[in-house]
Amino acid sequence: MNRVTEMVLGIIGGLIGFGAAFFALFMGTIDAAVNEAASGLTALGISAFVFSGLAVIGAIAVKWKPVFCGWVMAVSGLILLISLGLFGVVPALFLIPAGLMGIIRKEKQPAAAES
């Protein structure tokens, strides 16, 4: 079955997640340079970067293992939403539906030939 929709949504969500993770890492570095107290923004940016990578890998592999990769994309979308806050809304809007489509959508069974 074609899983192009899940693949495209997952790749777009992962790439937007990379951008948001880069922005979080940038802001965390600036925060560390300005303030002496450590903030968790850099660690959250790193986790967002890792889960964006997992989302892209899940989107690419969704044709072979749709249920597993659907779970990977859905969980990555939720973790991006949690770790990036408002910046994680847009990637989550792409990744969570793509993951749910990978989980729920069933393969079409070929019609049996009647004798």
Side-chain angles (χ1 to χ4, degrees):
M1 173 184 266
N2 280 341
R3 298 273 181 178
V4 176
T5 307
E6 291 95 326
M7 184 183 291
V8 170
L9 286 174
I11 290 173
I12 290 172
L15 292 178
I16 294 172
F18 275 129
F22 178 75
F23 184 72
L25 286 171
F26 178 72
M27 295 307 284
T29 305
I30 290 175
D31 184 44
V34 172
N35 296 328
E36 291 182 14
S39 71
L41 193 56
T42 304
L44 291 174
I46 291 171
S47 74
F49 195 77
V50 167
F51 281 100
S52 294
L54 284 175
V56 170
I57 291 169
I60 292 171
V62 76
K63 285 191 174 197
W64 298 284
K65 298 279 187 183
V67 175
F68 175 73
C69 292
W71 278 108
V72 168
M73 287 189 288
V75 169
S76 294
L78 287 174
I79 292 178
L80 284 174
L81 185 63
I82 291 168
S83 65
L84 293 176
L86 193 57
F87 292 112
V89 170
V90 176
L93 285 176
F94 284 101
L95 289 171
I96 293 172
L100 291 177
M101 286 172 63
I103 295 167
I104 295 171
R105 206 162 139 193
K106 300 293 180 196
E107 299 285 333
K108 290 183 183 176
Q109 299 296 329
E114 293 182 23
S115 309

